[in-house]
Amino acid sequence: NAGVTQTPKFQVLKTGQSMTLQCAQDMNHEYMSWYRQDPGMGLRLIHYSVGAGITDQGEVPNGYNVSRSTTEDFPLRLLSAAPSQTSVYFCASRRTGRNQPQHFGDGTRLSIL
Amino acid sequence: AQSVTQPDIHITVSEGASLELRCNYSYGATPYLFWYVQSPGQGLQLLLKYFSGDTLVQGIKGFEAEFKRSQSSFNLRKPSVHWSDAAEYFCAVGASKAAGNKLTFGGGTRVLVKP
């Protein structure tokens, strides 16, 4: 199994550019989520989805959009990149059921100049 | 709101020595607790989890953690570290009710292993 696959692994953007970070999982997990990781702050939840067609905001949703048209894919969109969005982004998925452990992708390192 | 504190940002330990990483949480109900490890340039891997029952939880790679409700702690331990244990470790707490993917993570503890 590929598990959770994130693309790209690295990206550099200019302020104001838009971009979509891709996330795909092949485990038929209903729950998917996006986190950003910043030094000393752990991982903070951006958006999450409990199933196809259903998304909700996490702790730090501003500046990001998501959609969930299929079970497998959960893309994260930056509509107008800002330097404050420089971070490492992780996608995660898990099975239905209370507090199933999450499976993480390898991350996307994003720099906004 | 739930929160997680990992008081130690960095810990340096000699290979073969014991390791203990501290985690304190704040949550109004029964917490669901996790420890994850992140090797450089990689995603997070689950080490162990606590939902209920025995308060001493065994995980992968020789790690264990003990849940102490009275201290709101879930410290991670390993009796003898290996050089491959050098990584960053994250404690996380999950809501007890169905709340999607809402895990709250601590800030992480980076472990350095000296030969």
Side-chain angles (χ1 to χ4, degrees), chain A residues 31-33 35 37 40-43 45 48-50 90 94 98-99 101-102 104-106, chain B residues 32 34 36 38 41-44 46 49 51 90 94-96 100-103 105-107:
Chain A
Y31 295 140
M32 296 186 73
S33 53
Y35 294 85
Q37 182 181 30
M41 303 186 73
L43 280 78
L45 182 65
Y48 68 97
S49 168
V50 300
F90 287 96
R94 70 178 180 90
R98 291 193 308 174
N99 297 294
Q102 299 204 66
F104 286 84
D106 287 340
Chain B
Y32 294 77
F34 305 82
Y36 284 87
Q38 183 182 31
Q42 298 192 5
L44 280 74
L46 180 69
K49 60 190 183 220
F51 294 160
F90 292 92
S96 60
N101 293 311
K102 288 189 176 180
L103 280 184
F105 286 83

Side-chain angles (χ1 to χ4, degrees), chain A residues 3 6 8 19 25 29-30 32 42 62 69 73 100:
Chain A
Q6 291 183 237
M19 169 163 195
Q25 52 92 9
H29 288 174
E30 289 196 359
M32 296 186 73
N62 292 340
S69 57
D73 300 298
Q100 290 289 320

Side-chain angles (χ1 to χ4, degrees), chain B residues 20-98:
Chain B
E20 181 167 12
L21 304 183
R22 295 184 290 166
C23 172
N24 295 100
Y25 67 90
S26 173
Y27 186 65
T30 301
Y32 294 77
L33 297 159
F34 305 82
W35 273 101
Y36 284 87
V37 60
Q38 183 182 31
S39 297
Q42 298 192 5
L44 280 74
Q45 180 185 21
L46 180 69
L47 284 175
L48 49 79
K49 60 190 183 220
Y50 171 78
F51 294 160
S52 64
D54 193 348
T55 56
L56 185 63
V57 181
Q58 301 298 319
I60 62 171
K61 304 186 180 187
F63 285 92
E64 66 178 25
E66 186 171 13
F67 171 61
K68 293 185 177 180
R69 184 186 298 276
S70 62
Q71 299 178 17
S72 297
S73 69
F74 189 56
N75 295 348
L76 181 71
R77 298 193 293 253
K78 185 168 184 177
S80 177
V81 298
H82 186 262
W83 64 265
S84 60
D85 294 323
E88 189 154 19
Y89 293 79
F90 292 92
C91 181
V93 60
S96 60
K97 295 183 178 180

